[in-house]
Amino acid sequence: MRKTKGFTFRKIFPFLLQSSLTRPSPFRAYSFVPFSPLAMLDPTILTIGGIVLGIAIIERILERWGVIDLVDQLAKIMRFILPVAFYSALFYFFATFIL
């Protein structure tokens, strides 16, 4: 039978490695997201969202009343207005809240 020899951890790794295990000096970290989610409560963004939501509610009410021609015309207009309003609000948000 072979005789096994035991090694301690300090014999395998030299003493010089202990200096590299110390904590690095602190450094400043900067965030790539400099705004808070609460910044979405801006009155301009809430106004744009309220207008779009109001138009959608009016469209549903007109649909229930049976005024389908007016609903179709409003839907054609909203296909253009909704993306423009969304991207305008998004651009405004990033333009005003990024430092």
Side-chain angles (χ1 to χ4, degrees):
M1 236 167 122
R2 287 190 185 180
K3 193 174 193 181
T4 58
K5 188 173 182 182
F7 291 102
T8 61
F9 183 76
R10 297 199 186 272
K11 284 185 180 179
I12 295 172
F13 294 103
F15 183 72
L16 298 174
L17 287 178
Q18 284 185 351
S19 63
S20 68
L21 295 177
T22 59
R23 289 187 162 198
S25 61
F27 63 95
R28 289 187 177 202
Y30 296 98
S31 173
F32 291 108
V33 184
F35 52 83
S36 164
L38 296 177
M40 294 294 284
L41 297 177
D42 180 53
T44 306
I45 293 176
L46 290 177
T47 302
I48 292 172
I51 290 170
V52 170
L53 185 63
I55 292 172
I57 291 172
I58 289 171
E59 185 179 351
R60 293 296 171 203
I61 290 172
L62 290 174
E63 187 179 358
R64 282 188 185 175
W65 287 352
V67 191
I68 303 300
D69 294 334
L70 189 58
V71 171
D72 287 338
Q73 290 176 358
L74 192 60
K76 288 177 186 176
I77 294 170
M78 292 304 291
R79 282 188 198 135
F80 174 74
I81 291 176
L82 285 177
V84 170
F86 171 75
Y87 288 117
S88 299
L90 192 66
F91 177 75
Y92 173 81
F93 176 73
F94 284 119
T96 56
F97 291 108
I98 290 182
L99 301 175

